[in-house]
Amino acid sequence: MSFNLSEWALKNRSITIYLMIIAVLAGVGSYYKLGRAEDPTFIIKTMVVSAAWPGATVEETLKQVTERLERKLQETPHLDFLRSFTRAGVTTIFVNLKGSTTAQQVPDVWYDVRKSIGDIRHTLPAGVIGPAFNDDFGDTFGIIYGFTADGFTQRELRDYVEKVRSELLHVADVSKIEILGAQDERIFVEFSTQDLANLGLDRAQLIAALQAQNVVQPAGAVQTEAETLQLRVSGAFQSEEDVRNINFVVGGRVLRLADIANVRRGYADPPQPMFRVNGEPAIGLAIAMRDGGDILALGKNLSRAMNRLSADLPIGVEPKLVADQAVTVESAISEFMTSLWQAVAIILFVSFISLGVRPGLVIATAIPLTLAVVFSVMEIVNIDMQRISLGALIIALALMVDDAMTTTDAMLTRLAAGDTKEQAATFAFRTYAFAMLAGTLVTIAGFVPVGFAASSAGEYTFSLFAVVAIALVVSWFVAVLFAPLLGLVILTTPKAGASSEPGFMFRSYRAFLTGAIRARYLTIALTIAMFVAAFLAMPLIPRQFFPSSDRPELLVDLSLPQNASIYATEEIAKRFDEALKNDTDLERWSTYVGRGAIRFYLPLNVQLPNNFFAQAVLVAKDVPARERLKVKLEKLLAEEFPSVVARVYPLELGPPVGWPIQYRISGPDISKVRGYALELGELIAKNPQTVNINYDWMEPARQLRIRIDQDEARLLGLSSQALANTLNTVISGVSVTQVRDDIYLIDVVVRATADQRVSIETLRNTAIPLPGGRTVPLSQFATFEYDQEYPLVWRRDRLPTLTVHADLRPGILPDTVVSALTPEVTAFSRSLPAGYQLAVGGTVEESAKSQASVLAVVPAMLLIMLTVLIFQLRSFQKLFIVLSVAPLGLIGVVLALLTFNRPLGFVAILGVLALLGMITKNAVILLGQIDAEREAGKDILTAVIDASSARFRPIMLTAISTVFGMIPIAPTVFWGPMAFAIMGGLLVATILTLIFLPTLYVTWFSLTEKRGDKPAAKPV
């Protein structure tokens, strides 16, 4: 091609320098404007559909509500599976979409769900409340404040918290604020059923009187010539005192409500989910950031606002920072930026040592130029600085100096050969530009499975592909546009008579290569043997999905029997809080009673609200303290909380999974499903590496059935509806009206006194009003007996599904245990009758889904690679040689992971695929050099040895730069396995590229030319 971009850059130096200045200024500006986050955003493709049918049993709710809703929801486009949770009178359904559903499609699917359920709402039983929809399931509340009060009531504390919330909503980048642990106020009207019976007062009359006086209803308006006067009728309740003073006419007498009932102000009974901070009752404010916001800026703005607002709070009301994602992100970004600059320093050091000061200075200038343009493009395409993009920058850093090194090395070679600076500066473009571009495209193709894997894990790691692709494309332009001009200014022509004697390393390589080619069949056989050995050793590498987070938090799940009250859960939580006090490894902690922690961290596995469940979030002083704390807590919970199913675990990285070992048993009959699950649990428990075997639901709960003699009841003029309403009013209480108090609505609840609500004997003697004004005890026409029913039922795709959970002993990976259990589990699965099925869940299932989504894109990756290679090489023979070298990186990958005991996780697999592109790039450039040498008239052997010797330094420099450049991230939990895989794979593959490829080339083309075949077509 006649056009030479490097030549254009030299002829238009002013424009080139201007572009360099603009690139740097734009990059610096973008660096400070890029959003900061802990993890990349990914869509939680789950919607929660819920409905209530008060008074229904579990079975009735399943058949009449859950089943109807699930049948319709199964028509949802892009549906992966339905998972439902049914309690007596309440159903909660999780609509989970396939991982291949794009972020743009999700809102339309949720609209379709709302519309389709709206179409069948009229078919639900009378009395069903809802359905309601929650498609904000993935909102992350990264900053949480807890407010404790000393000497203040819950209502007073809530007033202060509400004022703070109103102010914080004005802070920039705040999208929403949720209140945690607040207890709604109630005004309780508690009466004695016996006293009301003695007075001849019907509860229905009492309720009607309360409702009639507190009604809000227009009383009209008077229109005059000058104004409009609105009429207001007094009587609305302003406080509990107004409720006490309401009058009733009983037997010709006027009685105050306070004379016949106890009226008091209190809080929701039973309590709503509670929140505790450092062992004290608290109210929390959970703050979510708007999409695209900067968490660091939000953290600073909130800190300033809280300092200002705290000054106005009275002594005794103390705000405490419970979760601070801003600090976590700042620390993480600081560590990654340190790693990035360390990687830059390492690469520059390698460049200066190997190339010299002036060539090293060219590379040193090219790196910030490339980074500056990358930062600008990241801002344009809305890629924030977060865990994945920063790691991608470090990975790309070593790759993006490859082209600059190639250009610089070519200039040095031509200057030493006697070319002018201008000729040397344009030589690399004429000779290597399109080979470098092909190599760049092939390397990018290696990351294609990362970018286009249709799964949550793929979405989570997408910015790895995006940043690497941007960096590699930019680095090519920098190498052909800016680097020649930099070389022209910085490099000098070697002095006449300067020694050109090759160094020891160069001479050793040339001699070794010559020997390897002479023993070509042995070289090829040894290479193949190493590859086969590496392939056979792969099962020895432990498998992993995503590692645990390196954050200092620990989560502690506390599950009581599923019929436990929230009071029992609160008592357990208090005992646990007490045990945590004075622990030197603990910085702070918060406890959620009756629910799981709010999503303060995007990959958090959020738990449903349940009375029997509590979750504590513990922040240790550091990661070693976290590990010590974990050991202590596991021992504490086992010894002092034996009745609680407890789990202590760190935060997860990647898409949330939950228990590492999960097996699901599904089938039509709940009792049989339960029996099979028990057998499976016993089978799993036999494995010595599993601990804490438990079930997501299992034990039936006790209930009291009141059997009505319907004939006797009808003779008395009673119906089941009237009896149910009476018992509900007496036992649980009913909300009959509301007191409007400032911004709150306070329910007025009518119920029996405490001694009559909790005593079975009192319940037998409950006075039931008859239509004529008389009363009869409930026991006259009803009998009482205890029964059992399941307090809740989980279903998956409309089948009752019981999940067996298990945790693992320290240092054991889920894939290892599942592999060990597979023969027995498979045999057990085959023994199940038709209609019942067993499936593996948890980490192994998610890992398989994610890996399948990556492998599904591998054909596209290979197609892109092959297309680029065939256009560049224009020879099937050379294509075969390149493809024979690409897989050899597996030798180094296996060796590195086994040597350093690193697992082959999802991210490491992505690194192995990307390695194919890196290796192929070197092979393409080396073949291009061989072709150039043969065009000069050299025989095959001489051309191969000379070309390999010429490319030895830049190829090895690139490999060494990449390997050393990844040292800063090698110790990290998330990137470590990928770094070791690339370091080992690239180092071994580079050596084999410089040894095996030349040997294979000589062997192949010597044979073909002996047969009289024409030499391969020359590359264009």
Side-chain angles (χ1 to χ4, degrees):
M1 184 180 286
S2 58
F3 178 74
N4 188 314
L5 193 57
S6 299
E7 186 178 348
W8 179 91
L10 297 182
K11 288 181 178 178
N12 298 276
R13 299 183 189 184
S14 297
I15 295 176
T16 306
I17 293 171
Y18 172 77
L19 291 174
M20 291 168 66
I21 294 171
I22 291 298
V24 171
L25 293 177
V28 172
S30 296
Y31 173 78
Y32 288 103
K33 288 192 289 184
L34 282 172
R36 267 73 168 171
E38 182 174 9
D39 288 284
T41 57
F42 62 92
I43 303 297
I44 303 291
K45 301 181 179 84
T46 301
M47 174 186 255
V48 181
V49 180
S50 57
W53 189 18
T57 64
V58 169
E59 186 176 358
E60 290 169 339
T61 308
L62 274 171
K63 291 181 177 178
Q64 297 298 328
V65 182
T66 306
E67 177 68 16
R68 291 176 193 268
L69 294 176
E70 285 183 337
R71 284 186 180 183
K72 191 64 179 177
L73 289 171
Q74 280 195 314
E75 301 172 5
T76 303
H78 306 290
L79 180 69
D80 187 7
F81 64 92
L82 297 175
R83 191 164 181 253
S84 65
F85 171 86
T86 305
R87 291 180 295 176
V90 179
T91 184
T92 304
I93 304 172
F94 295 86
V95 184
N96 297 279
L97 303 183
K98 293 178 180 177
S100 57
T101 311
T102 65
Q104 293 75 25
Q105 292 172 324
V106 170
D108 292 335
V109 175
W110 296 155
Y111 171 76
D112 189 77
V113 168
R114 285 182 166 88
K115 185 166 63 67
S116 61
I117 293 298
D119 291 342
I120 66 161
R121 185 177 275 113
H122 67 281
T123 67
L124 298 175
V128 168
I129 302 170
F133 307 90
N134 177 14
D135 56 1
D136 295 331
F137 193 62
D139 286 348
T140 303
F141 299 84
I143 298 178
I144 302 174
Y145 285 94
F147 293 78
T148 57
D150 184 8
F152 292 86
T153 65
Q154 172 86 195
R155 167 59 188 274
E156 290 169 334
L157 176 60
R158 185 171 183 179
D159 286 341
Y160 288 118
V161 173
E162 287 282 5
K163 288 178 183 177
V164 172
R165 178 178 181 272
S166 297
E167 292 293 327
L168 293 183
L169 283 169
H170 294 296
V171 174
D173 284 351
V174 171
S175 65
K176 63 172 67 174
I177 301 179
E178 295 283 341
I179 291 185
L180 307 173
Q183 301 296 310
D184 291 334
E185 286 189 286
R186 301 281 189 268
I187 295 176
F188 294 104
V189 179
E190 297 175 333
F191 54 84
S192 165
T193 57
Q194 192 61 46
D195 290 347
L196 288 187
N198 293 337
L199 289 170
L201 182 62
D202 188 354
R203 279 179 292 273
Q205 294 175 321
L206 184 150
I207 291 170
L210 288 170
Q211 292 172 333
Q213 180 157 336
N214 198 41
V215 69
V216 175
Q217 189 169 328
V222 176
Q223 301 282 348
T224 69
E225 293 181 358
E227 60 183 338
T228 300
L229 297 175
Q230 296 288 342
L231 302 183
R232 295 285 185 260
V233 177
S234 66
F237 299 144
Q238 302 295 323
S239 67
E240 63 272 26
E241 195 59 37
D242 293 337
V243 178
R244 287 192 186 98
N245 292 330
I246 189 171
N247 295 327
F248 296 88
V249 178
V250 181
R253 294 183 301 160
V254 176
L255 296 176
R256 290 169 63 246
L257 181 60
D259 296 333
I260 59 175
N262 177 31
V263 180
R264 64 179 180 86
R265 194 167 183 142
Y267 299 98
D269 183 20
Q272 295 159 307
M274 291 170 274
F275 183 59
R276 300 171 62 83
V277 175
N278 297 338
E280 301 177 32
I283 295 179
L285 286 182
I287 304 164
M289 182 179 69
R290 68 168 178 83
D291 291 340
D294 184 341
I295 189 66
L296 298 185
L298 176 63
K300 291 175 183 176
N301 293 336
L302 284 173
S303 180
R304 283 194 294 268
M306 283 301 301
N307 288 336
R308 174 175 54 82
L309 294 170
S310 297
D312 296 331
L313 294 175
I315 296 175
V317 176
E318 185 179 355
K320 298 174 182 176
L321 196 58
V322 173
D324 190 357
Q325 194 177 45
V327 170
T328 303
V329 171
E330 186 174 21
S331 173
I333 288 180
S334 175
E335 288 178 9
F336 262 104
M337 292 309 296
T338 301
S339 299
L340 180 63
W341 302 132
Q342 286 174 349
V344 170
I346 290 170
I347 291 170
L348 291 179
F349 178 77
V350 171
S351 301
F352 280 116
I353 292 297
S354 56
L355 296 175
V357 175
R358 288 181 176 274
L361 196 57
V362 176
I363 306 297
T365 311
I367 289 175
L369 275 171
T370 306
L371 285 175
V373 179
V374 170
F375 287 143
S376 299
V377 178
M378 285 175 63
E379 184 188 7
I380 293 170
V381 298
N382 296 319
I383 297 176
D384 296 338
M385 280 190 175
Q386 27 79 0
R387 186 191 311 276
I388 304 299
S389 62
L390 286 171
L393 279 174
I394 296 174
I395 293 169
L397 181 66
L399 302 177
M400 65 191 180
V401 298
D402 187 2
D403 292 340
M405 279 187 172
T406 299
T407 300
T408 305
D409 184 74
M411 291 180 68
L412 289 172
T413 302
R414 297 313 304 168
L415 286 172
D419 286 1
T420 65
K421 282 191 174 184
E422 286 76 9
Q423 290 172 332
T426 58
F427 173 80
F429 189 91
R430 289 195 308 271
T431 309
Y432 300 123
F434 292 98
M436 289 192 304
L437 181 60
T440 296
L441 295 177
V442 167
T443 305
I444 292 172
F447 286 88
V448 163
V450 184
F452 297 95
S455 65
S456 295
E459 190 176 350
Y460 181 74
T461 55
F462 172 79
S463 54
L464 174 60
F465 161 76
V467 172
V468 169
I470 293 167
L472 290 178
V473 171
V474 170
S475 70
W476 184 85
F477 278 101
V478 169
V480 300
L481 194 63
F482 296 154
L485 182 57
L486 293 171
L488 189 71
V489 175
I490 298 172
L491 298 180
T492 59
T493 303
K495 296 178 180 178
S499 175
S500 59
E501 184 71 21
F504 172 77
M505 185 69 70
F506 183 85
R507 294 195 308 271
S508 300
Y509 165 69
R510 191 178 179 94
F512 185 85
L513 177 61
T514 303
I517 292 175
R518 286 174 180 166
R520 64 191 69 174
Y521 294 108
L522 178 61
T523 301
I524 294 172
L526 285 175
T527 304
I528 294 173
M530 286 191 294
F531 178 76
V532 172
F535 184 80
L536 294 175
M538 280 192 68
L540 301 176
I541 302 173
R543 302 301 175 93
Q544 187 182 52
F545 183 36
F546 281 96
S548 299
S549 171
D550 54 359
R551 284 177 50 152
E553 285 94 343
L554 270 179
L555 297 180
V556 182
D557 293 353
L558 303 170
S559 297
L560 278 69
Q562 291 172 340
N563 64 336
S565 69
I566 196 170
Y567 296 108
T569 307
E570 183 186 21
E571 183 60 32
I572 289 291
K574 286 180 178 179
R575 284 177 53 203
F576 183 70
D577 284 342
E578 193 63 33
L580 293 177
K581 289 182 178 178
N582 304 319
D583 193 305
T584 54
D585 288 325
L586 192 58
E587 183 73 30
R588 63 179 183 271
W589 79 96
S590 54
T591 311
Y592 298 78
V593 181
R595 60 167 295 174
I598 197 167
R599 194 186 297 277
F600 64 92
Y601 169 73
L602 182 59
L604 182 69
N605 185 32
V606 177
Q607 303 295 319
L608 284 173
N610 274 305
N611 286 343
F612 58 81
F613 183 78
Q615 188 173 53
V617 182
L618 284 60
V619 182
K621 291 184 177 178
D622 50 39
V623 175
R626 183 191 77 180
E627 296 307 309
R628 292 193 300 269
L629 192 60
K630 183 175 185 291
V631 173
K632 287 186 287 187
L633 290 178
E634 286 175 341
K635 182 180 179 182
L636 170 78
L637 291 166
E639 293 177 354
E640 299 189 22
F641 297 83
S643 63
V644 175
V645 176
R647 183 180 178 224
V648 185
Y649 57 102
L651 296 173
E652 298 176 276
L653 288 174
V657 175
W659 290 86
I661 300 296
Q662 298 182 28
Y663 288 93
R664 296 188 300 271
I665 298 282
S666 299
D669 188 300
I670 292 179
S671 297
K672 289 184 178 179
V673 168
R674 179 175 179 268
Y676 296 139
L678 284 169
E679 291 180 40
L680 180 61
E682 292 175 1
L683 187 152
I684 296 171
K686 292 177 182 177
N687 188 300
Q689 295 172 329
T690 60
V691 294
N692 204 5
I693 314 298
N694 65 93
Y695 310 86
D696 59 348
W697 61 278
M698 172 63 76
E699 296 301 329
R702 189 174 67 156
Q703 66 172 196
L704 181 64
R705 288 193 179 275
I706 303 175
R707 299 198 178 277
I708 306 297
D709 185 334
Q710 296 294 338
D711 293 336
E712 183 68 23
R714 284 192 177 86
L715 289 174
L716 294 170
L718 294 172
S719 66
S720 294
Q721 179 183 11
L723 284 169
N725 288 337
T726 298
L727 291 175
N728 189 41
T729 303
V730 170
I731 304 303
S732 299
V734 293
S735 177
V736 297
T737 187
Q738 292 176 320
V739 172
R740 294 167 286 281
D741 183 1
D742 195 27
I743 63 171
Y744 308 105
L745 286 173
I746 302 175
D747 288 343
V748 177
V749 177
V750 175
R751 64 182 185 180
T753 55
D755 60 318
Q756 295 181 334
R757 294 198 308 274
V758 298
S759 168
I760 301 301
E761 192 57 40
T762 304
L763 181 61
R764 296 175 188 274
N765 297 324
T766 298
I768 305 299
L770 301 178
R774 297 183 301 110
T775 62
V776 296
L778 179 61
S779 58
Q780 183 171 325
F781 54 89
T783 57
F784 299 80
E785 60 185 41
Y786 286 104
D787 198 357
Q788 288 187 327
E789 77 172 359
Y790 293 100
L792 58 91
V793 174
W794 279 101
R795 305 206 319 173
R796 187 182 176 97
D797 290 333
R798 295 175 51 211
L799 281 176
T801 302
L802 209 156
T803 304
V804 185
H805 298 148
D807 218 334
L808 300 172
R809 297 195 181 280
I812 304 300
L813 296 177
D815 194 272
T816 305
V817 175
V818 170
S819 298
L821 288 170
T822 296
E824 294 178 338
V825 169
T826 301
F828 177 80
S829 178
R830 289 173 180 165
S831 70
L832 296 176
Y836 295 84
Q837 54 190 351
L838 184 152
V840 181
T843 305
V844 173
E845 180 184 42
E846 284 299 318
S847 179
K849 284 183 180 179
S850 299
Q851 290 181 25
S853 70
V854 170
L855 294 176
V857 190
V858 168
M861 175 195 79
L862 295 176
L863 178 62
I864 295 170
M865 283 185 173
L866 292 174
T867 304
V868 173
L869 290 174
I870 199 64
F871 271 88
Q872 174 62 27
L873 300 173
R874 302 192 176 189
S875 165
F876 281 107
Q877 297 176 78
K878 294 175 184 175
L879 179 63
F880 166 76
I881 291 175
V882 170
L883 294 181
S884 67
V885 173
L888 298 181
L890 185 67
I891 301 169
V893 169
V894 173
L895 183 63
L897 294 180
L898 285 176
T899 302
F900 294 96
N901 193 28
R902 292 295 191 275
L904 184 64
F906 181 77
V907 178
I909 290 172
L910 300 182
V912 172
L913 292 173
L915 195 59
L916 293 174
M918 300 179 199
I919 299 167
T920 303
K921 180 179 182 179
N922 287 334
V924 168
I925 294 177
L926 180 55
L927 280 178
Q929 185 70 35
I930 293 173
D931 285 337
E933 298 291 342
R934 294 192 66 185
E935 285 177 32
K938 298 179 181 179
D939 62 85
I940 293 177
L941 182 60
T942 304
V944 166
I945 292 178
D946 287 349
S948 301
S949 301
R951 297 308 305 159
F952 173 75
R953 182 170 67 175
I955 288 178
M956 282 305 299
L957 278 180
T958 302
I960 291 171
S961 298
T962 303
V963 170
F964 282 99
M966 289 195 179
I967 288 176
I969 62 171
T972 62
V973 172
F974 187 82
W975 292 107
M978 182 183 201
F980 277 105
I982 292 178
M983 290 163 73
L986 185 61
L987 189 60
V988 171
T990 300
I991 295 172
L992 291 176
T993 299
L994 292 167
I995 301 295
F996 175 74
L997 187 147
T999 303
L1000 185 62
Y1001 187 98
V1002 171
T1003 304
W1004 182 275
F1005 284 101
S1006 295
L1007 290 174
T1008 57
E1009 293 190 12
K1010 280 181 182 178
R1011 292 198 304 264
D1013 296 345
K1014 292 181 179 179
K1018 297 176 182 178
V1020 178

